[in-house]
Amino acid sequence: MAAVSLLASFAAGAVTVFTPCCLPVLPPLLSGSVGHRLKPLTIVAGSIVSFTLVGLLTGYLGTLTSDSLRAPAFLVIIAFGAVMADDDLHEAYAATASKISGRVDGISVLSSAAHPLAAGFTLGLVIGILWLPCVGPVLGAVLAYAGTTGDVSQSGLLLFSYGAGFGLPMLGVAYGSKVAGGRVRDVLPGVEQTETVRRLAGYLLLLSGVALLFQLDRVLLSNI
């Protein structure tokens, strides 16, 4: 079951990148043909470190009151699923979150000319905030589940897996753009397709949240 959770967390990270609001900024943000050739790697490394640290903190908090967190955490998953599945809710959430993330956009260019690798790593550390409208619902759902594990290491692994799933497509776009001369963006999914992915992910979160709320995960574990 732990392997299934890690795989689901990895898939959640990959789905996050291919939501509509992430796609327009992927090529310019991680273009392998601009700046230091290792900069995409440092951005991904920074994001994985950031997500893992948040996961460890969430796991630690979960060890204090893991059982009491179950119902609130799964209600959070259901709420985030509704945000992703419903167009109006998603638009309202994105508008609000964009105001927050817009205030830290300056970090993305911190010392980029003098220290490109350090700037890339710093960007990776705060990328969850910069892309809050996109990563918020899925990341929030993963964190909510991680908080119920009552295990610091498992929670850290879940968020490490999420970060890896989040980072690999970014690397693909970055170095694919370098090799193909920027034509990778022409074969990325269109807005209509990514909106469908977002809705499907939302419905999956809704179903998962309801199942977990009624402790179907414990029923399945008891039958293994």
Side-chain angles (χ1 to χ4, degrees):
M1 184 59 69
V4 174
S5 299
L6 290 175
L7 182 60
S9 185
F10 181 90
V15 166
T16 303
V17 175
F18 289 101
T19 51
C21 55
C22 277
L23 288 177
V25 295
L26 273 174
L29 179 65
L30 288 175
S31 176
S33 60
V34 176
H36 199 287
R37 60 189 177 87
L38 296 180
K39 188 174 181 180
L41 286 173
T42 62
I43 294 174
V44 169
S47 65
I48 291 177
V49 169
S50 179
F51 291 137
T52 303
L53 289 176
V54 172
L56 291 172
L57 176 60
T58 303
Y60 172 73
L61 295 176
T63 61
L64 303 179
T65 54
S66 58
D67 285 337
S68 62
L69 286 177
R70 281 185 63 89
F74 298 150
L75 288 174
V76 168
I77 294 176
I78 293 171
F80 278 135
V83 167
M84 294 188 69
D86 184 82
D87 292 341
D88 292 333
L89 285 176
H90 185 265
E91 183 178 349
Y93 166 83
T96 302
S98 293
K99 295 178 182 179
I100 300 173
S101 58
R103 295 176 181 177
V104 293
D105 279 344
I107 300 176
S108 63
V109 295
L110 180 63
S111 305
S112 58
H115 307 286
L117 298 184
F121 188 80
T122 301
L123 172 59
L125 288 175
V126 298
I127 208 167
I129 300 175
L130 293 172
W131 282 354
L132 190 60
C134 307
V135 305
V138 180
L139 177 59
V142 174
L143 284 172
Y145 177 76
T148 67
T149 62
D151 187 314
V152 175
S153 60
Q154 184 178 351
S155 179
L157 281 174
L158 281 172
L159 270 297
F160 176 87
S161 181
Y162 175 88
F166 186 85
L168 284 181
M170 293 165 65
L171 287 178
V173 170
Y175 289 112
S177 294
K178 184 176 182 179
V179 172
R183 286 176 294 177
V184 169
R185 70 189 68 190
D186 296 330
V187 298
L188 287 171
V191 172
E192 184 176 345
Q193 288 81 5
T194 54
E195 288 283 2
T196 301
V197 170
R198 187 254 300 168
R199 294 189 192 98
L200 289 175
Y203 289 125
L204 182 59
L205 284 178
L206 279 170
L207 290 174
S208 300
V210 171
L212 292 168
L213 186 63
F214 287 95
Q215 302 189 17
L216 293 185
D217 59 321
R218 291 180 172 177
V219 173
L220 290 173
L221 286 173
S222 66
N223 293 324
I224 294 178

